[in-house]
Amino acid sequence: MRDIGGLVWIVFVLFAVISSIVRSARRARAAPASPNARVNRSAGAPARPPVMVQAAPAPPPARVPPVASVPPPPIVIAPPRPVVSHVELPRARATGFFADRGALIRGIVAAEVLGKPLALRDE
């Protein structure tokens, strides 16, 4: 049964690929050769060559008056920073389960209360 399913899948993929190629060929055949050419294929009428229309020349660009140049801002050099040998940073507060000693003790007590009874431990 698996072989039949695989064969059906292969036939389906081949059909999809071939139909995609045919559709692309039809679009390419139906598309005009250039954007200026128009296809006129009525019943029995021969195709006429496209008529080229010459576009009017573009008007010259308007003259823009020159803009007065602005001098660049002066370069300011900052004074050197003082050298610090040791900086005391504030201690970051510990985050997590055991932020301090009290939290650690509460965790141990909770583990004893919520954990397995002492008599059932395999020690």
Side-chain angles (χ1 to χ4, degrees):
M1 189 64 181
R2 253 180 134 166
D3 295 334
I4 294 173
L7 290 175
V8 169
W9 180 252
I10 291 173
V11 169
F12 177 73
V13 170
L14 288 175
F15 177 74
V17 169
I18 292 171
S19 66
S20 175
I21 292 171
V22 169
R23 189 177 331 131
S24 297
R26 285 181 183 166
R27 279 191 207 151
R29 195 177 330 143
S34 69
N36 293 334
R38 293 184 182 165
V39 177
N40 185 6
R41 306 227 177 187
S42 58
R48 293 184 295 170
V51 177
M52 302 299 282
V53 179
Q54 186 174 7
R63 299 195 105 216
V64 179
V67 178
S69 63
V70 178
I75 298 174
V76 178
I77 299 175
R81 294 182 179 177
V83 177
V84 179
S85 62
H86 179 71
V87 177
E88 187 66 34
L89 297 175
R91 286 194 144 189
R93 183 175 175 193
T95 60
F97 292 120
F98 308 118
D100 57 355
R101 183 181 172 119
L104 178 62
I105 293 172
R106 285 191 300 272
I108 293 171
V109 170
E112 290 293 328
V113 171
L114 298 173
K116 209 179 222 187
L118 189 59
L120 297 176
R121 293 184 187 166
D122 294 331
E123 291 182 0

